[in-house]
Amino acid sequence: MDWLEITVDSLRGSVSLVAAAYALSSIGLNLQFGSAGLLNFGHVASMLVGAYGMAIVVDLGGPLLLGVLVGVAAAALLGWLWGITTLRLRADYLTVVTLSFGEILRFLIRSNWANPFTKSVYGIQRFADEFYDWNPIPDGDYGFEIASNPIRFSERQLWVMSVCWGLAILATLLFRSLMRSPWGRTVKAVREDEDAARSLGKNVYLYKQQALIIGSVIGALGGILLGIETQNVYPDFYIPLVTINAFAIVILGGAGSVWGPMAASIIYWFLFEWLDGVINSAMTEGYFGLLFEPADSGRIRTVLLGIGLVCLMVFRPQGLFGRRREVILGGT
Amino acid sequence: MAEALKSVPGRPGVAKPSPILVVEGVRRAFGGLVAVDVEHLEIQRSSVTALIGPNGSGKTTLFNLLCGFDSVDEGEWRIFPGSRGGGVQPGPEAEESKLGEVRLTGRQSYEIARLGMVRTFQLTKSLSLLSVLDNVLLAAKDQVGERLSRSLGRRWREIDERNRSAAMEILERFGLAHMSDEYAGALSGGQRKLLELARAVMARPSLLLLDEPLAGVNPALVESILEHLLKFPAEGMTVLFVEHSMDMVMSISDWVVCLEEGSVIAEGPPEVVASDPLVVDAYLGREE
Amino acid sequence: MSGGLLSDPKRRVLVVAALAIMTFTGSFGWLWDGAALGQDDVDGQQIRGVMEVIEDEERRPVEGVEMIVSADGVEIGRVRSDASGEWSVQVPEAGTYQVRLEVDTLPAGVQLTDPERVELSAVQVREGQRKTVRFSLGPGFTKSLSTLESLSNLVVLGLRLGAIIALSSVGLSLLYSISGMFNFAHGELVTLGAMLAYLLSTSPGGPQWHLAAAVFPTMLMAGCIGGLMEFGLWRPLRRRKTGVVGLTLVSIGFSLFLRYLLLLIFGQSPKPYKNFNIQDPIEFLTVSTPPKNLFIIGLAVLLLLGGGMLLRYTRIGTAIRAVADNRELAESSGIDVHHVFLVTWIVGTALTALGGVFLGIGESVEWDMGFKLLLLIFAGMVLGGIGTTFGAMVGGFAIGFLVEISTYWVDVQFKTAIGLGVLVLMLLFRPQGLMGLRGRIG
Ligand SMILES: Nc1ncnc2c1ncn2[C@@H]1O[C@H](COP(=O)(O)OP(=O)(O)OP(=O)(O)O)[C@@H](O)[C@H]1O
Ligand SMILES: [Mg+2]
């Protein structure tokens, strides 16, 4: 097993577009869950409507920018829908409804009935050429080597990555200014105790609704960039597992923390790639004997993710950087 | 205006010369149990009124109903915010209030708070992961930065600065200034009571409903807070408070209302109510 | 609960996690032979197809048709088409394969348009290719069903699904009412039940009992696992005063862990039980249905009634209701809350596992069958009124019924979406559910 190669590959993965897109998307979830305390189990739906909104518009012949706008608008609409269906009810309905919304959307775009727009299971491809036309980075291979293990990106990859990390930083700054403003103070108060906030004249419903919408829009941007990178959107990517990845990132970084999602996304995808590398090479070297097959490596990783999330919640709910007493998940 | 009460006869449901709150026929039952059934009740403006009654007599439930945290089976109530105090945050409701009378029946709790009726809770609700200062700042009125559309602008910072010094002043009054940067969750039970009181005062309501504000607060501090409480009417805040200690009720209230099994059985000046046989029977008798 | 090792909640979580992992890996050996058959590889190459009848522009998927893929007479894998008619078999390497359709498994009213073409003898698969092959199906010469007949058959299917949902929802709903938490790992308990029964009855490495004999041991084992989870995970978390949000997140992590662990053990392709698989339909009035469906419905109704009685008239039932009503009050009046939780977990998991077995009999055993069902269970709970166990039963029946009946008008692929649609509509217009806000009828 070549540990160095695995580690360098994982380093590459930790700054790749996937990490950037998840960082961006998790900032949206962090606003909903970390700041406003809304347990949104359908975050993947924001990414879905963002990516599909864009892809469908381009596929029908529209310009990419219009597609992005449509995707973002659709995500805002989705956030609003979550709100009107659940916010006036008990808080725990939100988990069930958001999870269901995500799955309904996935079933819908997957169906034959939506085929003219979504191409059902086959998905939509090659809708982001325009984005690469804007690429100012000259052709070439960029990067360096660590002990002859390369960390290199093509000009295309570098371009999407820069845009996405740039957006993630912008979103983080936006998050920070929002949370430092009186608006953020009120949102936190709503999370801590709705009745107390109400007794001081705060329209709790409005604040939650706003947090849902903004979070959904930021989440959609992550989905859009992920779509642009692969130039491929298909329904079965948008399974609830994506939401759980985002939750793992938010909790790892400390729910509600400003730079948490970005830092945690880097760490998370490093671990992800590292586990992948280790499991795969253990497999090719036959350490597992007959127990596992090549196809199992992704599944083993997901099992570990599940265990990891449970352990994180049990042993370190404040995340990597938080302080124990600041745990927002603890209160009953 | 408390003098105005001198000429008011002490009997349940009596009219006051200048009421800030009028409650009519408010009823709430939980299953078969009638928790609140108030036929008529008026609260005199700029007075300190005590609401007493044995455990389970419906005081907290009445507060919940009046402030929109629970819905009534029947009845209605109105507030006359008058020129002073106003609302927590001027909104469309405040326009209406210039007319002098606002019906509160069926309104949302946050609207009621904006109309100037702010309450505290018997079981303290501190916002644990906000600092003590932020807890108080939260209650400040007219903060433009509280609107999403203005939260990224600069204008709120100026206002926030002003609010901050006002908040520190209030914290000073309640002996919490030295804790202003702590998380509210780190406070003791008594300190949380004080924080909640400070928060309510920061909202500058015209009518303040306090549910056992001094339960669990150390006696030395109680004295100074009572003094503050007595000044509230002059600052434009009418106070209606629930308290079990008769000493305290006697020492600061202008008027006392006694509930039993949800209904007003007596009201009047403290000395009169305290010696009312019905009250002694229902309340003091049972307490001992 | 001897002190020492188990007294520290952290350590107890670890011990139980280790036990759980050992149990599962222990069952690896048993299941292995059976599981290897259908193992497939998402990254590798596969042969796939869609079983559907095309009739006047309309496509109707055909479920449960068995396909056998072999290479030079050696069987590589066999699968059945799923509810949307899809099937796929993973093949180990590029090469030439034979694909045969098991004609016996075609449902009534569906036939091969070319009866000679039951086997495709030279299917070329390239490296990493997802090779699609077609069998062309058409309406057979057997009489087609009248509206009334197909509707009444759907009624039976609807009742069957409803019974399964209702059985599985009891545990979830009881647990919700006593702890205020939605257990997102509940779906995996359904799968667990189905797989335990598969292990005992069908798996080549298992004891090969008759499925009927395996049902009770399955429920017993599942009950034990439920008790273990309460004892090792949830109780320590409650002791540490973990909030509902924290618990819910733990449950979703746990669900992920269990689901993919079961996938690892069982493999991706659905497998039927060896018993009650294909039955001759019995006919009465306008209904024609295999007897197993009627058994499932009858047994479920009996069990649900029995459960309701227990909840209403036994001491432990009263205790459960008391804790659900007001935990602090129950605690202070001398009810052992931890005991109540333990019993709820054991009974709830056992019933859920039975739901899983029934689902496996009705359709087939698959790694994510429970997760798919979970969404419908939630829908049933919301429909009936969250927090009322009786409501959850009624809601479960109603959702199963609605979902199956809807397939008469709507494409089957919308089945789950319809159930979830009902959930959303219900929340919008009658959030307290059919059974009202405070109807705590046990
Ligand atoms: N949510 C509720 N459901 C059912 N009964 C309730 C509810 N809230 C209050 N009650 C009942 O209404 C009655 C009045 O309760 P309330 O809390 O208003 O009393 P209180 O006067 O504030 O008592 P204390 O002095 O102990 O605070 C009590 O008998 C109580 O049991
Ligand atoms: Mg009270």
Side-chain angles (χ1 to χ4, degrees):
Chain A
M1 198 174 290
D2 188 346
W3 293 103
L4 187 68
E5 188 189 332
I6 293 177
T7 310
V8 173
D9 272 354
S10 317
L11 275 176
R12 186 180 187 279
S14 70
V15 293
S16 68
L17 180 100
V18 178
Y22 268 92
L24 182 55
S25 173
S26 305
I27 294 166
L29 184 63
N30 195 29
L31 185 73
Q32 295 170 341
F33 170 62
S35 306
L38 297 163
L39 208 47
N40 176 1
F41 278 172
H43 186 63
V44 64
S46 300
M47 298 169 74
L48 183 154
V49 294
Y52 262 93
M54 167 183 64
I56 291 174
V57 167
V58 176
D59 201 46
L60 294 177
L64 184 66
L65 268 183
L66 179 68
V68 171
L69 280 181
V70 168
V72 165
L77 184 71
L78 178 73
W80 179 75
L81 276 176
W82 280 331
I84 56 166
T85 40
T86 54
L87 286 183
R88 293 188 197 277
L89 311 173
R90 291 186 44 163
D92 35 18
Y93 285 76
L94 187 73
T95 53
V96 173
V97 170
T98 46
L99 184 74
S100 307
F101 258 55
E103 289 289 274
I104 293 182
L105 276 174
R106 191 165 67 84
F107 291 137
L108 286 184
I109 58 169
R110 207 176 183 284
S111 66
N112 293 339
W113 171 79
N115 190 37
F117 297 104
T118 65
K119 310 281 184 290
S120 351
V121 281
Y122 306 104
I124 307 173
Q125 286 80 30
R126 285 193 67 85
F127 41 79
D129 290 341
E130 218 177 318
F131 179 82
Y132 294 102
D133 292 344
W134 301 329
N135 188 355
I137 304 171
D139 288 8
D141 219 12
Y142 298 85
F144 51 89
E145 282 175 11
I146 300 178
S148 75
N149 291 297
I151 298 190
R152 295 203 166 276
F153 298 98
S154 71
E155 80 284 348
R156 284 166 70 93
Q157 289 171 319
L158 205 59
W159 167 229
V160 226
M161 276 165 57
S162 330
V163 171
C164 197
W165 280 116
L167 277 175
I169 291 173
L170 282 183
T172 303
L173 294 177
L174 174 75
F175 178 88
R176 192 177 65 167
S177 358
L178 277 178
M179 292 320 291
R180 283 183 178 174
S181 75
W183 183 84
R185 186 159 56 213
T186 312
V187 165
K188 277 189 262 179
V190 165
R191 173 191 78 203
E192 293 294 305
D193 194 313
E194 286 184 22
D195 281 345
R198 279 198 194 98
S199 76
L200 297 171
K202 314 299 176 202
N203 185 351
V204 169
Y205 176 78
L206 184 73
Y207 285 95
K208 287 188 179 178
Q209 181 77 80
Q210 290 172 341
L212 278 180
I213 293 177
I214 302 175
S216 178
V217 165
I218 298 179
L221 288 176
I224 286 174
L225 277 147
L226 212 51
I228 285 181
E229 207 254 355
T230 51
Q231 288 254 46
N232 181 8
V233 292
Y234 58 97
D236 291 344
F237 174 78
Y238 301 93
I239 50 177
L241 184 59
V242 177
T243 305
I244 302 178
N245 277 327
F247 261 104
I249 290 172
V250 168
I251 296 168
L252 196 66
S257 82
V258 174
W259 294 98
M262 279 183 69
S265 186
I266 293 176
I267 296 170
Y268 183 83
W269 289 104
F270 177 83
L271 284 176
F272 190 95
E273 295 287 337
W274 195 81
L275 276 175
D276 211 37
V278 171
I279 296 170
N280 276 331
S281 56
M283 252 172 209
T284 43
E285 286 167 37
Y287 289 156
F288 292 131
L290 281 175
L291 204 55
F292 295 119
E293 299 201 335
D296 287 335
S297 85
R299 296 164 189 172
I300 298 174
R301 214 179 41 212
T302 311
V303 168
L304 293 176
L305 165 63
I307 298 179
L309 189 57
V310 172
C311 290
L312 194 63
M313 290 303 305
V314 171
F315 299 111
R316 218 178 151 79
Q318 72 273 38
L320 290 179
F321 315 115
R323 277 179 288 168
R324 177 86 212 188
R325 45 193 282 250
E326 288 172 22
V327 173
I328 65 150
L329 313 163
T332 33
Chain B
M1 273 207 232
E3 293 73 46
L5 286 170
K6 295 241 157 64
S7 54
V8 179
R11 66 181 147 75
V14 68
K16 310 281 162 23
S18 161
I20 188 168
L21 177 74
V22 175
V23 180
E24 251 165 317
V26 164
R27 220 180 107 91
R28 173 75 164 102
F30 295 107
L33 175 98
V34 179
V36 166
D37 186 5
V38 172
E39 227 167 79
H40 190 91
L41 178 65
E42 296 186 3
I43 305 295
Q44 170 69 11
R45 177 184 308 280
S46 299
S47 68
V48 175
T49 305
L51 181 63
I52 62 170
N55 291 122
S57 55
K59 306 178 294 292
T60 300
T61 310
L62 180 62
F63 274 20
N64 285 346
L65 292 172
L66 295 182
C67 295
F69 284 86
D70 190 359
S71 38
V72 291
D73 297 335
E74 54 187 71
E76 65 164 61
W77 63 107
R78 301 183 298 272
I79 190 169
F80 300 81
S83 50
R84 302 175 86 175
V88 178
Q89 288 155 346
E93 304 88 356
E95 294 295 309
E96 212 177 317
S97 74
K98 292 214 177 76
L99 303 173
E101 169 189 308
V102 189
R103 261 188 92 220
L104 297 183
T105 320
R107 281 185 194 266
Q108 300 266 340
S109 50
Y110 76 92
E111 288 179 295
I112 293 180
R114 287 184 189 186
L115 284 166
M117 184 151 94
V118 169
R119 54 102 42 115
T120 64
F121 297 87
Q122 182 170 12
L123 298 172
T124 330
K125 294 186 185 296
S126 59
L127 307 164
S128 308
L129 284 181
L130 262 60
S131 73
V132 168
L133 183 61
D134 274 346
N135 261 269
V136 179
L137 275 178
L138 183 71
K141 51 199 245 177
D142 30 78
Q143 313 183 63
V144 283
E146 222 174 45
R147 294 221 216 113
L148 181 59
S149 52
R150 313 286 286 276
S151 62
L152 295 178
R154 302 231 138 254
R155 253 204 59 207
W156 63 262
R157 284 165 211 271
E158 237 172 82
I159 302 173
D160 213 50
E161 265 329 296
R162 251 184 285 136
N163 286 342
R164 233 163 247 270
S165 47
M168 281 311 286
E169 229 167 80
I170 292 178
L171 282 175
E172 202 80 55
R173 271 214 247 171
F174 290 94
L176 290 172
H178 64 291
M179 314 270 304
S180 64
D181 291 330
E182 292 285 333
Y183 279 120
L187 299 185
S188 74
Q191 285 172 323
R192 287 182 204 199
K193 278 261 154 202
L194 292 175
L195 178 59
E196 208 182 354
L197 194 55
R199 216 164 53 191
V201 170
M202 182 76 185
R204 285 200 279 136
S206 44
L207 176 57
L208 191 53
L209 269 52
L210 306 174
D211 201 346
E212 306 196 19
L214 298 174
V217 176
N218 108 48
L221 208 50
V222 166
E223 284 301 316
S224 77
I225 290 170
L226 287 183
E227 268 168 44
H228 290 308
L229 249 166
L230 283 172
K231 287 185 212 138
F232 286 172
E235 293 169 20
M237 287 185 277
T238 307
V239 178
L240 175 62
F241 74 108
V242 172
E243 182 51 64
H244 282 293
S245 148
M246 268 322 254
D247 286 346
M248 228 173 279
V249 171
M250 300 294 285
S251 67
I252 63 163
S253 49
D254 306 316
W255 196 259
V256 177
V257 176
C258 180
L259 278 187
E260 181 179 47
E261 291 177 357
S263 319
V264 180
I265 53 163
E267 63 174 296
E271 322 75 51
V272 179
V273 173
S275 55
D276 186 319
L278 270 175
V279 175
V280 175
D281 203 30
Y283 187 90
L284 303 170
R286 235 205 269 174
E287 277 272 284
E288 248 84 286
Chain C
M1 284 147 258
S2 60
L5 182 66
L6 291 180
S7 59
D8 173 22
K10 262 194 199 184
R11 210 178 291 160
R12 207 186 302 161
V13 171
L14 287 181
V15 167
V16 170
L19 272 181
I21 291 171
M22 273 155 51
T23 321
F24 281 116
T25 41
S27 54
F28 256 64
W30 263 7
L31 264 171
W32 192 239
D33 304 343
L37 285 179
Q39 278 287 355
D40 46 14
D41 178 356
V42 186
D43 304 321
Q45 44 282 325
Q46 60 170 224
I47 300 178
R48 57 182 300 282
V50 181
M51 286 289 136
E52 53 189 5
V53 174
I54 303 174
E55 197 180 355
D56 316 328
E57 300 276 302
E58 205 185 319
R59 291 156 179 269
R60 184 156 54 86
V62 184
E63 189 180 355
V65 185
E66 191 165 51
M67 313 296 305
I68 300 164
V69 174
S70 41
D72 306 324
V74 181
E75 188 174 303
I76 306 278
R78 93 178 38 216
V79 285
R80 281 168 176 269
S81 56
D82 64 15
S84 46
E86 289 171 30
W87 61 274
S88 68
V89 174
Q90 221 59 40
V91 292
E93 56 197 9
T96 309
Y97 295 90
Q98 297 86 47
V99 182
R100 189 157 55 83
L101 184 151
E102 205 53 67
V103 184
D104 293 348
T105 59
L106 284 174
V110 177
Q111 286 194 337
L112 279 166
T113 42
D114 178 3
E116 301 293 300
R117 256 171 71 95
V118 289
E119 176 160 303
L120 309 173
S121 53
V123 178
Q124 300 281 349
V125 182
R126 275 179 286 111
E127 183 82 35
Q129 189 189 13
R130 296 175 68 199
K131 174 82 179 184
T132 306
V133 297
R134 276 194 64 80
F135 286 92
S136 126
L137 301 177
F141 309 108
T142 33
K143 68 174 170 99
S144 62
L145 298 178
S146 71
T147 306
L148 188 62
E149 281 164 335
S150 13
L151 268 180
S152 42
N153 286 343
L154 282 178
V155 166
V156 177
L157 287 184
L159 287 176
R160 182 184 81 189
L161 183 61
I164 291 169
I165 296 177
L167 260 187
S168 316
S169 69
V170 173
L172 187 65
S173 157
L174 276 179
L175 204 75
Y176 174 81
S177 58
I178 57 180
S179 69
M181 148 194 137
F182 282 118
N183 176 20
F184 279 81
H186 193 78
E188 278 54 60
L189 304 180
V190 174
T191 319
L192 187 73
M195 286 190 180
L196 283 173
Y198 183 88
L199 173 66
L200 295 177
S201 70
T202 311
S203 171
Q208 303 263 6
W209 296 336
H210 189 275
L211 184 58
V215 167
F216 190 68
T218 295
M219 289 176 71
L220 206 66
M221 281 162 76
C224 289
I225 293 178
L228 260 179
M229 284 192 307
E230 152 66 8
F231 181 64
L233 185 65
W234 303 111
R235 185 178 297 183
L237 284 175
R238 274 204 311 281
R239 285 242 165 90
R240 305 164 129 215
K241 307 232 179 311
T242 305
V244 175
V245 172
L247 291 177
T248 312
L249 281 170
V250 170
S251 84
I252 206 151
F254 198 63
S255 124
L256 199 66
F257 157 69
L258 263 183
R259 185 158 71 249
Y260 281 83
L261 193 61
L262 293 173
L263 169 62
L264 272 180
I265 299 173
F266 192 79
Q268 192 165 33
S269 53
K271 304 182 191 61
Y273 290 123
K274 85 174 179 248
N275 310 109
F276 306 127
N277 191 7
I278 306 213
Q279 290 182 323
D280 287 330
I282 54 169
E283 321 237 346
F284 60 93
L285 301 175
T286 55
V287 180
S288 153
T289 180
K292 62 182 180 183
N293 288 348
L294 302 178
F295 264 108
I296 291 177
I297 297 169
L299 220 61
V301 169
L302 278 182
L303 272 169
L304 288 175
L305 285 179
M309 293 292 205
L310 287 183
L311 209 51
R312 192 136 186 81
Y313 297 112
T314 61
R315 274 181 69 104
I316 183 71
T318 315
I320 292 177
R321 282 183 297 138
V323 176
D325 214 42
N326 186 336
R327 183 148 141 212
E328 269 89 53
L329 196 66
E331 211 156 14
S332 62
S333 55
I335 292 176
D336 181 352
V337 174
H338 288 309
H339 181 67
V340 166
F341 268 91
L342 190 63
V343 172
T344 310
W345 264 105
I346 293 176
V347 175
T349 312
L351 284 180
T352 309
L354 182 65
V357 178
F358 285 170
L359 187 61
I361 295 176
E363 292 169 16
S364 58
V365 184
E366 197 177 0
W367 67 285
D368 60 350
M369 58 194 284
F371 187 68
K372 285 184 196 151
L373 192 73
L374 181 69
L375 295 174
L376 291 180
I377 296 178
F378 279 147
M381 277 174 75
V382 170
L383 188 65
I386 282 188
T388 78
T389 305
F390 185 65
M393 295 180 192
V394 175
F397 260 103
I399 274 289
F401 193 74
L402 272 175
V403 160
E404 287 288 356
I405 294 285
S406 74
T407 60
Y408 185 78
W409 293 276
V410 190
D411 202 308
V412 269
Q413 49 186 340
F414 290 116
K415 229 162 109 167
T416 313
I418 295 251
L420 301 179
V422 171
L423 179 154
V424 170
L425 287 182
M426 201 68 189
L427 284 179
L428 273 177
F429 297 110
R430 198 179 153 84
Q432 72 272 37
L434 293 175
M435 290 293 153
L437 200 57
R438 291 180 197 282
R440 233 186 246 293
I441 320 177

